[in-house]
Amino acid sequence: MPSHAPTVTAAGAAFLAWLRTARPTSAVGIWRAGHQPRLEQEPEPTPGPRLVGGAVLWGLLAWVVWSLLYDGYLGLWWLVPLDLLAPDDWVHGRSGPGLLRVTYYGYYAFIVAVLVVAAARAGRWAEVWRRYAAPRRTAASPVKAALLLPGEDPALWPHLRAAGAAAAADRLTADAVASVMGDVDHARITQAWTAVRAGHRTPEDFTRAVLRDGAAACGHPSGARDLPGRSAPHDLVSHQVRIGTAADTGRNPWAYRAADVALSPDTVGTSLLVVGPAGPHGTDRIVRPVAEAMGVQALAGRAAVVVVGTAAADHGPPGAYDVVVRLGDPASPHALNLYGGITDPDEAAAVLAEALTGDLAHDRDAGAQRTAAVLRQLLGPFAAAYGRLPALDELRQLLDGTPGRLPELRRLLEAAGHTGMLRDLDARVRQSSMPGDAGMLLADRLALLDRPALSNSLASAGGYCLRDVDRPVRVRIELPACGHADVPRVLAWLVLAQFLAAVTHRANRSLLACLVLDDVPGTVTVPAVHGIQRLRTAHACTVLALRTLDDVAPALRAPLLGAVGCRVATAGLTAADGRHSADAWGTAWTETRTVTDRQLIAETAAGRALHLLRQAVTGTAPTARAVTVQQVERERWSASDLAHTLPAGHVVISRTDTAGHRTPPLLVDLRH
């Protein structure tokens, strides 16, 4: 226990209440904070009047039975157990009238209790209470913030005390009740203690940091302790962000109906694809919370996030990021490294070729491998001659064959004695004169980036490197919204290729690296799909927001849907996009009931007269109803349902976590 009892403030009471909130284990994707689990299977529905009528009937029956027993109309046989169990002096009053009354009234109470229990079970009184009385009860739960309970109370940091760090636990408890600590502080310090348990940090260093800085200990490199402008509820104990409520409809499984729906690093870590129109009721309701969640996790030391989109996209305020790269803006505080911080010429050539010609990877004449060979023939000799990789304009001049550039490079290589590099340069000169040389394609793609508006945005040395994702960093890259239509697409290819290379070769894979690509048409290429398929093993993921799958090549749509673990279809989806989503979600076995009415034919005169009388009273001929139940395989969601029946502000979402657990597609209301 703490050595002193700190004064609890109102804010501290709210923080302790949040920290002590129950978070029961639930199905994948359910918001755990305060969740009340439901039955695994839906109970057989009973009409309300029948349920209430049965409860009242069994109550009256129990009262009638007790009245008949008490008045002796059913005999005195029910008093035989009393004669057998109680002493004769108690039963016959020889021990006094007081004990006689206690004996008989106690036995009466026992019989009444048996009748009430039997009537309650037969009349389903508990179901009546749950359906009608329980929802109307309002329980006042005063906050008992001033009382710190021992044992497993999370506010007392029991895992620190059990490990012998009682002094650090006392300091953190004092900061918690004094409203100095926030949810990000709690998550960050918990993550730091996890690093201690893993052997990456000594307990002495942790304790010194906590005693010195309290709730601010083990801080993020930026010094930020919270994310400004949060737009969604976050629970950093269960690492979740709430996005909406599952609709209480038969389209959703029983366990999910009316439950709060959330995303977490475990589900986003399998990559997320959002398809549908943009706006406050579309993809923005998914992308913004996910970007926030990854930013909060980065502040807690658990993730690194890179958000790519236009400046008009709603990705949070600039203060929510450590690095902001505004491509095409001369006032941008950072530029983007053209090679992603790669210094090896061969590796830089492979990444740059994938970025520039990823959409042509299916073309054997201009695929990424052929273009990578062209770049290797230039980057290697240039690095050997100048000790660095070429700038954007220098590389374009080498590919264009600008007079004087290749001879000058040859003279420098000859002077330095780089014979092997001379052979690469000679091969480039020979191939450049052949028809269909890939160098011209590369030069055309680089010409899109070699513009005055982007002159200060791409740097061959310096600038921001995506290899920085091996530490908890928050990055926002804004694409130019005007100019050539292909410029944002090529820049997005460049960022995606650098991210895929960075997460594959990073040394620190304890952090979840997340790349958010919001509304960049034509981003998905063959190398991109192959890279997304490998991200899960590298503890990395992507969040792709597409307005329509028409932006993806037809041959890549099915592989893309199969590569991601989480899929979202928003309201306003086209029928074609709905067909691809419906195919990805597949079919399920469901129970159907077929009801047929068969007219009854009487064989006797009395029967025919009875049927005529019944028809005159009811207005319909007498029929016999037959019900056929069968199991059929149907689509979980059809293309027509996705395109035409999704209400505004709703999405259909399916998720897979990193452990392999899946959820069926759920209809979720993002407005509540």
Side-chain angles (χ1 to χ4, degrees):
M1 289 291 293
S3 57
H4 61 284
T7 302
V8 183
T9 63
F15 175 77
L16 294 179
W18 166 81
L19 191 58
R20 291 167 175 163
T21 300
R23 295 172 175 84
T25 302
S26 60
V28 176
I30 289 182
W31 177 259
R32 291 177 53 195
H35 173 64
Q36 296 181 354
R38 306 181 71 174
L39 299 175
E40 294 184 0
Q41 296 182 349
E42 181 178 5
E44 187 70 24
T46 303
R50 184 190 303 175
L51 183 65
V52 174
V56 173
L57 180 62
W58 279 99
L60 290 175
L61 181 61
W63 177 76
V64 169
V65 171
W66 168 245
S67 299
L68 294 176
L69 290 175
Y70 186 77
D71 293 336
Y73 291 106
L74 298 180
L76 300 178
W77 55 269
W78 59 283
L79 294 175
V80 173
L82 181 63
D83 292 333
L84 296 176
L85 298 176
D88 293 341
D89 294 343
W90 294 9
V91 175
H92 300 291
R94 289 192 292 269
S95 297
L99 192 57
L100 177 66
R101 284 193 292 271
V102 170
T103 301
Y104 275 90
Y105 284 119
Y107 186 70
Y108 293 162
F110 172 74
I111 297 299
V112 169
V114 171
L115 292 175
V116 169
V117 171
R121 292 179 64 88
R124 301 172 65 180
W125 291 4
E127 178 65 22
V128 174
W129 175 267
R130 286 193 298 267
R131 185 178 298 189
Y132 298 104
R136 293 177 172 82
R137 293 189 63 195
T138 55
S141 55
V143 179
K144 301 178 181 179
L147 183 61
L148 294 179
L149 304 176
E152 297 301 322
D153 184 359
L156 296 180
W157 299 83
H159 49 290
L160 267 66
R161 300 182 188 278
D170 289 347
R171 174 62 190 274
L172 295 175
T173 300
D175 285 358
V177 300
S179 73
V180 179
M181 180 178 293
D183 55 352
V184 178
D185 297 327
H186 181 273
R188 187 186 65 252
I189 295 173
T190 301
Q191 180 66 19
W193 180 251
T194 302
V196 172
R197 298 291 300 271
H200 303 310
R201 188 171 187 169
T202 64
E204 293 77 16
D205 290 343
F206 174 83
T207 301
R208 281 195 299 269
V210 170
L211 293 180
R212 181 182 65 250
D213 302 324
C218 311
H220 188 264
S222 67
R225 295 174 57 187
D226 201 355
L227 200 68
R230 292 194 198 180
S231 64
H234 297 264
D235 182 41
L236 295 183
V237 174
S238 56
H239 318 312
Q240 292 180 315
V241 55
R242 184 181 175 276
I243 60 172
T245 304
D248 192 1
T249 175
R251 300 299 298 261
N252 289 336
W254 167 254
Y256 286 92
R257 295 179 194 172
D260 292 338
V261 177
L263 292 171
S264 65
D266 288 341
T267 52
V268 178
T270 61
S271 292
L272 173 67
L273 175 64
V274 188
V275 182
H281 300 298
T283 58
D284 292 351
R285 287 292 186 98
I286 299 292
V287 176
R288 171 72 185 272
V290 170
E292 278 187 7
M294 292 297 103
V296 172
Q297 294 296 325
L299 290 180
R302 294 171 175 157
V305 60
V306 180
V307 181
V308 182
T310 63
D314 184 15
H315 297 147
Y321 297 91
D322 305 316
V323 178
V324 177
V325 181
R326 298 185 178 93
L327 299 176
D329 185 358
S332 175
H334 298 278
L336 181 66
N337 191 286
L338 179 63
Y339 303 101
I342 301 173
T343 57
D344 180 71
D346 291 341
E347 185 180 354
V351 173
L352 189 58
E354 181 179 316
L356 295 177
T357 60
D359 59 330
L360 302 177
H362 61 280
D363 188 343
R364 62 182 181 182
D365 293 328
Q369 293 184 355
R370 186 175 180 84
T371 52
V374 172
L375 290 175
R376 282 196 296 268
Q377 291 170 351
L378 293 176
L379 295 186
F382 191 96
Y386 292 94
R388 60 178 177 84
L389 294 176
L392 179 61
D393 58 339
E394 293 174 328
L395 181 57
R396 181 187 176 188
Q397 292 173 7
L398 291 173
L399 290 168
D400 278 337
T402 302
R405 294 297 304 181
L406 291 178
E408 179 185 357
L409 181 57
R410 168 178 287 279
R411 286 195 300 271
L412 292 175
L413 292 174
E414 290 175 348
H418 294 293
T419 307
M421 295 301 173
L422 284 173
R423 287 196 293 268
D424 287 343
L425 193 60
D426 292 338
R428 174 87 294 269
V429 173
R430 288 194 305 272
Q431 294 174 7
S432 62
S433 59
M434 296 180 180
D437 177 50
M440 296 307 298
L441 174 65
L442 288 171
D444 292 340
R445 290 290 170 87
L446 287 177
L448 295 173
L449 305 181
D450 189 16
R451 295 173 176 269
L454 295 173
S455 59
N456 297 324
S457 298
L458 298 173
S460 60
Y464 178 73
C465 303
L466 262 72
R467 292 208 166 188
D468 205 21
V469 292
D470 61 350
R471 64 183 186 91
V473 65
R474 302 165 296 162
V475 182
R476 178 173 179 175
I477 300 177
E478 296 181 0
L479 301 176
C482 57
H484 199 288
D486 288 336
V487 171
R489 181 180 60 172
V490 175
L491 290 173
W493 288 342
L494 182 63
V495 174
L496 179 58
Q498 292 182 2
F499 177 82
L500 294 175
V503 298
T504 304
H505 299 94
R506 61 177 176 159
N508 181 15
R509 293 194 177 185
S510 62
L511 302 176
L512 174 64
C514 178
L515 174 66
V516 180
L517 281 170
D518 187 13
D519 190 20
V520 185
T523 305
V524 180
T525 61
V526 172
V529 173
H530 292 168
I532 293 173
Q533 293 172 342
R534 299 190 300 267
L535 282 180
R536 197 178 307 181
T537 58
H539 198 203
C541 63
T542 58
V543 177
L544 298 176
L546 302 177
R547 303 300 170 249
T548 174
L549 286 175
D550 290 340
D551 294 334
V552 181
L556 295 179
R557 292 168 188 170
L560 175 63
L561 289 168
V564 298
C566 304
R567 309 180 189 97
V568 181
T570 69
L573 207 67
T574 65
D577 290 341
R579 169 48 52 200
H580 294 296
S581 298
D583 292 342
W585 281 321
T587 59
W589 289 98
T590 183
E591 183 180 277
T592 62
R593 293 173 177 262
T594 304
V595 180
T596 57
D597 290 332
R598 179 178 58 85
Q599 184 176 356
L600 297 177
I601 300 176
E603 298 179 354
T604 63
R608 287 193 292 271
L610 183 61
H611 285 185
L612 290 175
L613 177 62
R614 180 177 175 182
Q615 184 174 0
V617 173
T618 62
T620 59
T623 58
R625 174 168 294 182
V627 180
T628 304
V629 180
Q630 60 181 350
Q631 296 286 332
V632 296
E633 190 176 12
R634 290 182 176 174
E635 288 181 319
R636 300 177 186 270
W637 281 86
S638 68
S640 179
D641 290 339
L642 293 172
H644 304 295
T645 65
L646 280 187
H650 288 66
V651 300
V652 177
I653 178 174
S654 65
R655 286 151 296 178
T656 304
D657 65 10
T658 52
H661 303 108
R662 299 175 180 268
T663 66
L666 303 176
L667 178 62
V668 178
D669 187 353
L670 301 180
R671 302 168 300 180
H672 301 94

